[in-house]
Amino acid sequence: MIIFAIQNMTVHPSDRSGGFAYTDTPAVVSCDTEDSIEIENDYSIQNIQDYIVKADVFYDDFEGDLSKWDHLEKRNAQGGSIRQDPLDYENNVFMAYTWRGENPFIRPRSELRVDNYEKLGKDYWYSWKFMIDPDKRHNSASEIIGQWHSKPDFEAGETWDDWVDGSFALALGLEPFTDELEFSATYMDVIDFKTGIFPERGKWHEIVWHIKHSVEGDGYVEAWVDGQPLLPFNGEDYKMYGETAYNNSGSYLKIGSYRYNYTSWTNPVDLAVGESCIYYDDVRVGSGIYERKNK
């Protein structure tokens, strides 16, 4: 379950193992793609939990290796690997584990990244399941647990070597002290918007995203956590409109833990301590959604 509170929108300027006990017995589980029927996209859907993302672009249930992903970023002795689901030993999941690291001046990061080359001007659906370890705590000023990151504009001659931006376009944050989910959209000037959603630790949750990637004002993002809208009602729907991409190259997807290495953004003096452990499963990227057969 989640704790959900309505809150008015405000825009602000601005391999170590972890987690539950587990065993190394291999797990086998089947994809639930067949347990659904395809429907026409209905973007006024009220009960998103009756639907699943089509997953015709990307899918990983972690019942194998990490070869579907482009890269696992976990420098500075961070942890990230496939492990057994702490709540179901017949299921495998991805565990993103971060700690202070061997060098405390490097930000803790354990993230999987994949570039599906989504087209600008087209809308896509994304979803994944996540669970926050109940026993791992830290005092970092912020933590990102999912994001769409910008890329160099290759058509304009930019390369990874001379690129100067390096920001996320959209991000899902977890406030370390309250466990409230936060939303940020760099090119809409939305930073750490308080969503009023507090995922319960030690429980699986599902987040569903509907995003139109665009460098113009016609871009949008909407999302649900366990069926609850992540973003505020704007008078017509729960979309947030604006620039959702930095340039014509679009963005790539990242899941995992990325933490600030100090306890404060405004006064970065004290280095953060503690650990974070986030579990992920059933990552889907698609051009539409399905209606579940068994609701």
Side-chain angles (χ1 to χ4, degrees):
M1 60 176 279
I2 61 172
I3 302 172
F4 181 75
I6 301 296
Q7 181 172 340
N8 292 329
M9 175 179 176
T10 55
V11 177
H12 302 274
S14 348
D15 197 329
R16 295 180 121 200
S17 64
F20 306 138
Y22 65 93
T23 64
D24 291 323
T25 306
V28 178
V29 68
S30 61
C31 171
D32 65 356
T33 310
E34 299 301 323
D35 189 32
S36 56
I37 55 175
E38 189 171 2
I39 64 167
E40 295 294 327
N41 286 338
D42 177 4
Y43 300 146
S44 63
I45 291 169
Q46 297 300 312
N47 189 1
I48 194 65
Q49 290 181 298
D50 288 345
Y51 303 86
I52 59 175
V53 172
K54 186 176 180 181
D56 55 337
V57 176
F58 179 87
Y59 178 73
D60 197 359
D61 61 1
F62 302 108
E63 300 301 326
D65 55 26
L66 297 175
S67 59
K68 295 181 180 180
W69 299 84
D70 295 332
H71 188 58
L72 170 59
E73 301 177 354
K74 60 169 189 174
R75 62 176 182 162
N76 194 24
Q78 306 300 310
S81 60
I82 293 177
R83 297 292 176 89
Q84 287 182 322
D85 182 341
L87 302 183
D88 179 3
Y89 287 168
E90 294 185 353
N91 182 46
N92 284 346
V93 300
F94 174 70
M95 182 194 74
Y97 173 78
T98 56
W99 63 297
R100 187 170 182 173
E102 295 174 349
N103 183 347
F105 296 99
I106 297 176
R107 296 179 184 179
R109 179 197 299 272
S110 175
E111 293 180 298
L112 287 171
R113 59 181 285 182
V114 63
D115 193 344
N116 295 303
Y117 302 97
E118 290 93 326
K119 296 180 181 179
L120 295 183
K122 181 179 178 180
D123 67 294
Y124 292 85
W125 291 82
Y126 306 80
S127 69
W128 61 79
K129 297 174 183 175
F130 69 97
M131 177 169 59
I132 309 165
D133 192 293
D135 300 320
K136 304 298 182 185
R137 297 278 184 174
H138 63 88
N139 63 348
S140 297
S142 64
E143 180 177 19
I144 293 174
I145 62 173
Q147 60 174 299
W148 285 262
H149 203 284
S150 54
K151 298 181 289 185
D153 192 341
F154 302 110
E155 293 183 356
E158 294 180 347
T159 68
W160 289 108
D161 293 332
D162 60 15
W163 189 43
V164 297
D165 184 78
S167 299
F168 56 76
L170 306 168
L172 177 69
L174 179 66
E175 210 290 328
F177 302 99
T178 66
D179 288 344
E180 183 175 9
L181 293 179
E182 299 176 328
F183 173 75
S184 297
T186 299
Y187 311 115
M188 298 184 199
D189 294 324
V190 177
I191 301 298
D192 296 339
F193 164 64
K194 307 298 184 182
T195 67
I197 296 180
F198 301 81
E200 182 180 352
R201 288 176 173 258
K203 303 287 185 181
W204 280 108
H205 305 280
E206 183 177 38
I207 187 164
V208 178
W209 301 83
H210 181 208
I211 300 171
K212 179 180 179 182
H213 299 282
S214 177
V215 296
E216 307 293 339
D218 63 343
Y220 58 76
V221 55
E222 61 181 338
W224 302 260
V225 179
D226 298 338
Q228 299 285 356
L230 183 77
L231 301 176
F233 187 65
N234 61 23
E236 295 184 358
D237 52 40
Y238 291 92
K239 293 185 178 78
M240 187 176 290
Y241 291 86
E243 296 179 32
T244 52
Y246 172 62
N247 56 34
N248 290 330
S249 293
S251 305
Y252 58 90
L253 174 65
K254 301 175 76 173
I255 63 167
S257 171
Y258 178 45
R259 292 163 43 196
Y260 191 48
N261 54 326
Y262 287 92
T263 60
S264 170
W265 280 99
T266 57
N267 187 29
V269 175
D270 297 326
L271 289 165
V273 296
E275 305 164 283
S276 172
C277 186
I278 313 290
Y279 299 92
Y280 296 85
D281 201 5
D282 294 329
V283 181
R284 299 171 176 269
V285 182
S287 59
I289 52 178
Y290 286 84
E291 184 177 12
R292 300 182 191 272
K293 286 181 179 179
N294 302 315
K295 297 181 183 179

